[in-house]
Amino acid sequence: MLELNPDIPKDPEKVSRIMASATKIFAEHGYLQAKTADIARAAEVSKGIVFRYFGDKGHLYLATVTYVIEMLTERADFTVWTDAKDLGDMIERAVRYKIQLQLEYPAEFRLSIQSFGEMNVLPEEIRPAMSALWQKQTTTSLATLEEPVLDRMKLRPGVDKAVLKKLLNAIGTSVFTEAEGFMKQYPDAKIEDFEPIINEIREEYEILEHGFEAE
């Protein structure tokens, strides 16, 4: 987890409570509307402790997003889809598993997705670090998740793998935004309730992989 003041002694239990409350409040209200005082109150610490540990609201947000991404990455089982036989199989496994995690960790997923869209409202001194965090995460995800499947596929001559990855990311972003909206509308939904979304994205990836013109 990112720390602005690493030399300052910190109570691990207080840090844990701050991260938990910051995750929930930033996810619910976004960066601009979230109040540091509310985060401190929910964590049962003083506002001064929050500032002493993290410096300011912007750095607290960056630390919280870093914490969330590291936590989700640590708890995810990437082997669920890295041995997929093709692109459609990979995305169906990935979406099914990620939705399962999204149901288990709704605030964490909401904040991680939301933080990418909130880049422009962050203080200027925070933006480069947030951008670097997301660039590292995207690069790691591609290398860990998609590369093993793409390397087993025979791409037709002229296909730029970098362009293909952009298309895969665009579809992935779209489906998780749709899944998040579905979760907000149906907060008690189970994984089986997402089958229409899962089937739709598999169809999208199959069209991407095999084309849409009849032979």
Side-chain angles (χ1 to χ4, degrees), residues 14-30:
K14 290 181 180 178
V15 171
S16 180
R17 294 203 304 270
I18 292 169
M19 288 293 95
S21 65
T23 297
K24 183 175 184 295
I25 290 172
F26 278 132
E28 286 180 356
H29 302 289

Side-chain angles (χ1 to χ4, degrees), residues 41-191:
R41 189 179 305 110
E44 298 180 343
V45 300
S46 69
K47 190 175 175 181
I49 285 290
V50 175
F51 287 136
R52 178 175 170 78
Y53 283 8
F54 298 99
D56 55 34
K57 180 180 171 182
H59 285 90
L60 173 61
Y61 185 81
L62 179 60
T64 306
V65 174
T66 304
Y67 160 80
V68 162
I69 289 176
E70 289 177 352
M71 185 271 281
L72 290 173
T73 301
E74 180 181 323
R75 300 189 184 184
D77 179 10
F78 296 139
T79 62
V80 168
W81 61 84
T82 51
D83 62 346
K85 65 181 183 295
D86 57 30
L87 212 51
D89 186 34
M90 179 199 76
I91 196 59
E92 180 175 348
R93 293 189 195 188
V95 170
R96 194 180 299 280
Y97 183 66
K98 284 189 175 181
I99 288 176
Q100 182 178 328
L101 285 177
Q102 198 168 353
L103 290 169
E104 191 173 351
Y105 304 105
E108 288 81 359
F109 260 87
R110 188 178 305 119
L111 178 58
S112 65
I113 295 170
Q114 173 181 296
S115 65
F116 186 79
E118 289 195 314
M119 200 85 70
N120 291 334
V121 305
L122 298 178
E124 288 189 13
E125 67 269 22
I126 301 298
R127 294 178 195 175
M130 183 66 77
S131 179
L133 173 65
W134 267 106
Q135 185 165 355
K136 177 183 177 182
Q137 178 66 13
T138 301
T139 301
T140 302
S141 295
L142 285 172
T144 306
L145 310 181
E146 293 178 357
E147 287 290 354
V149 179
L150 292 177
D151 286 344
R152 292 197 298 272
M153 295 176 64
K154 186 177 181 180
L155 302 181
R156 66 176 173 77
V159 172
D160 187 330
K161 189 181 281 190
V163 175
L164 175 57
K165 288 177 181 177
K166 284 185 178 181
L167 288 172
L168 296 177
N169 285 336
I171 295 174
T173 299
S174 173
V175 74
F176 289 116
T177 299
E178 185 177 351
E180 185 181 21
F182 187 87
M183 285 176 63
K184 287 180 180 178
Q185 188 174 0
Y186 304 102
D188 297 322
K190 305 287 191 300
I191 183 63

